[in-house]
Amino acid sequence: MSRFWSSVVHGLSPYVPGEQPKQDGIVKLNTNENPYPPSSQVLEAIAAATARLRLYPDPRAFVLRETIAAHYHVATEEVFVGNGSDEVLAHTFQALLRHDAPLLFPDITYSFYPVYCGLYRIRYEEMPLDSAMKVQLADYRRSCSAIVLPNPNAPTGIGLARDEVEALVAEHPDQLVVIDEAYVDFGGESAVPLIARHDNLLIVQTLSKSRALAGLRVGFAIGQRPLIEALERVKDSFNSYPLDCLAIAGAVAAIKDDAWFAETRQRIMASRQALVRELSELGFEVLPSVANFVFARHCGHRGVNLAAHLRERGVLVRHFQKPRIEDFLRISVGTEDQCGRLIAVLRDLI
Ligand SMILES: Cc1ncc(COP(=O)(O)O)c(C=O)c1O
């Protein structure tokens, strides 16, 4: 604390990211990274782009937006890119979600949303998930300025069908609905095809998970042009060059490598299936996940103790000390070896 702090800084409750351990040999299943290295084409593209480091990157990242647009069958002007989807979300909160009526999101969801509300002084209400930890869309039929939902939700991993998202968007023609699809590539249904029909829908995605590029920091939003223009206006009032030239080159190569993408996500979905089976055999209740992580609890063991026990044996998972979910562990789907180590440690304990 310091007398130089503004009142805004005094009032902030910053987001706490998952631990990034310094030592080698840790089985890291705590931040939903992809356990496989990115496409070799990404590495080649980044190496080639180093020749342009002397120059500023394209402030509009046109080639990347064009590549994303072609991949998702939308117009380049319907794509916004930023420094990770966290930055895209931050600009979205600032540009499009700051109104008088409250913003709605689930009580158990990505814990950055209330942090952005604190930063930008946005009123919000949390809609409780039901007893099965599912989003009940009927709860959102109330007066609000906008709605933010991750699909699949985090940390539950439970997904909504595209029809359900469309029903929600159609029920709120005068409110923006933001769907955070950070994990959609692991078996969820993307709402991107709905963009053409709905001017009140914005989709946010990331290359951190399904493209194995958490370290490159690339995220994007897809929506109709006025929404994208709002994001560009905030971005150009904040940082003209959020994506450096290496990130732009690497992200373009990642989006283009369909073969790597298809193979890696299949592998992760297959490992998830095996992990769910093994955890269930050990007596865990595992929520039905369409993400690259599972959310699980054991009736005989407290979540905090399980997380600590795993940590002592070199396996990191995420535990949230939060009402309703304090006995759950969020476990990222790792390689077969990593999942094997997790299960072996749990088997010893349980
Ligand atoms: C639901 C959700 N949205 C967005 C993000 C941000 O991802 P990134 O900033 O790496 O794109 C995360 C990261 O874990 C997440 O869980």
Side-chain angles (χ1 to χ4, degrees), residues 15 31-32 83-87 89 110 112-113 150 152-154 180-183 204-209 213-214 217-219 293 330:
Y15 177 74
T31 49
N32 299 340
N83 192 267
S85 62
D86 279 341
E87 187 185 77
L89 285 166
Y110 186 33
F112 226 135
Y113 301 157
N153 195 11
D180 177 352
E181 295 189 346
Y183 301 101
V204 178
Q205 289 203 10
T206 178
L207 276 69
S208 295
K209 317 291 179 180
L213 290 174
R217 311 305 302 130
V218 183
F293 57 85
R330 194 197 65 191

Side-chain angles (χ1 to χ4, degrees), residues 67-90:
T67 306
I68 293 170
H71 186 82
Y72 289 96
H73 310 292
V74 297
T76 305
E77 298 74 26
E78 293 175 321
V79 179
F80 175 80
V81 291
N83 192 267
S85 62
D86 279 341
E87 187 185 77
V88 175
L89 285 166

Side-chain angles (χ1 to χ4, degrees), residues 1-251:
M1 212 189 284
S2 147
R3 69 185 189 285
F4 301 115
W5 283 19
S6 70
S7 60
V8 176
V9 172
H10 278 287
L12 294 179
S13 310
Y15 177 74
V16 182
E19 184 182 345
Q20 295 293 343
K22 303 277 174 294
Q23 67 271 44
D24 292 334
I26 298 282
V27 175
K28 197 174 170 308
L29 304 176
N30 65 332
T31 49
N32 299 340
E33 288 137 335
N34 197 307
Y36 299 106
S39 153
S40 58
Q41 292 175 28
V42 169
L43 308 183
E44 284 159 25
I46 290 176
T50 56
R52 298 195 300 277
L53 278 174
R54 188 180 60 80
L55 303 171
Y56 280 106
D58 172 8
R60 291 265 167 276
F62 185 82
V63 60
L64 175 57
R65 288 169 49 234
E66 192 181 46
T67 306
I68 293 170
H71 186 82
Y72 289 96
H73 310 292
V74 297
T76 305
E77 298 74 26
E78 293 175 321
V79 179
F80 175 80
V81 291
N83 192 267
S85 62
D86 279 341
E87 187 185 77
V88 175
L89 285 166
H91 289 342
T92 301
F93 275 68
Q94 161 101 307
L96 297 163
L97 303 178
R98 198 174 176 179
H99 301 289
D100 293 336
L103 167 69
L104 306 182
F105 48 79
D107 63 336
I108 295 164
T109 195
Y110 186 33
S111 41
F112 226 135
Y113 301 157
V115 174
Y116 295 132
C117 289
L119 178 61
Y120 297 124
R121 301 186 168 185
I122 299 169
R123 272 180 62 208
Y124 67 93
E125 282 175 21
E126 296 176 319
M127 300 292 104
L129 297 184
D130 69 11
S131 56
M133 295 283 172
K134 289 193 173 143
V135 170
Q136 280 303 326
L137 293 179
D139 296 345
Y140 292 77
R141 280 184 209 129
R142 57 198 284 145
S143 163
C144 64
S145 64
I147 296 168
V148 182
L149 282 181
N151 189 32
N153 195 11
T156 64
I158 299 175
L160 289 170
R162 187 182 299 136
D163 288 352
E164 294 180 284
V165 172
E166 183 154 36
L168 180 75
V169 172
E171 272 181 20
H172 293 86
D174 296 321
Q175 282 86 29
L176 183 67
V177 177
V178 177
I179 304 291
D180 177 352
E181 295 189 346
Y183 301 101
V184 78
D185 291 329
F186 301 104
E189 263 191 321
S190 174
V192 169
L194 307 178
I195 288 295
R197 293 203 287 278
H198 298 281
D199 66 357
N200 61 327
L201 174 62
L202 187 78
I203 312 291
V204 178
Q205 289 203 10
T206 178
L207 276 69
S208 295
K209 317 291 179 180
S210 56
R211 307 277 174 177
L213 290 174
L216 202 64
R217 311 305 302 130
V218 183
F220 59 93
I222 300 182
Q224 290 192 11
R225 286 161 216 235
L227 301 179
I228 301 304
E229 192 188 330
L231 296 174
E232 293 286 357
R233 286 169 73 96
V234 168
K235 171 219 155 225
D236 286 330
S237 307
F238 177 75
N239 177 6
S240 306
Y241 308 106
L243 289 191
D244 60 60
C245 63
L246 307 186
I248 293 172

